[in-house]
Amino acid sequence: MAIYVCELCGYEYDPKNGDPENGIAEGTEFEDLPDDFECPLCGAAKEDFEKEREESDEE
């Protein structure tokens, strides 16, 4: 699973955790988020997120 970071504020979206406070279930890949997904911290659009790194499942 890849971590995606908001280029405007640095918020990290981790699919492993999802964003339960905003109705995004654990395990939801970034690509599967709705097109109108916004950064929960600054309101940036989904297009303002950049793939940062892959999380290994072998932790």
Side-chain angles (χ1 to χ4, degrees):
M1 293 185 173
I3 304 293
Y4 283 78
V5 178
C6 176
E7 296 176 331
L8 302 180
C9 75
Y11 168 80
E12 292 188 357
Y13 177 77
D14 184 345
K16 183 172 38 177
N17 300 327
D19 186 8
E21 292 178 9
N22 293 297
I24 308 296
E26 294 177 5
T28 303
E29 292 287 347
F30 187 80
E31 294 82 8
D32 295 331
L33 293 173
D35 290 337
D36 62 352
F37 172 79
E38 294 180 346
C39 175
L41 298 183
C42 73
K46 186 175 177 181
E47 295 80 32
D48 293 318
F49 280 75
E50 185 172 296
K51 187 175 187 178
E52 184 172 273
R53 64 185 181 274
E54 295 283 340
E55 281 291 311
S56 173
D57 290 330
E58 300 175 17
E59 293 179 13

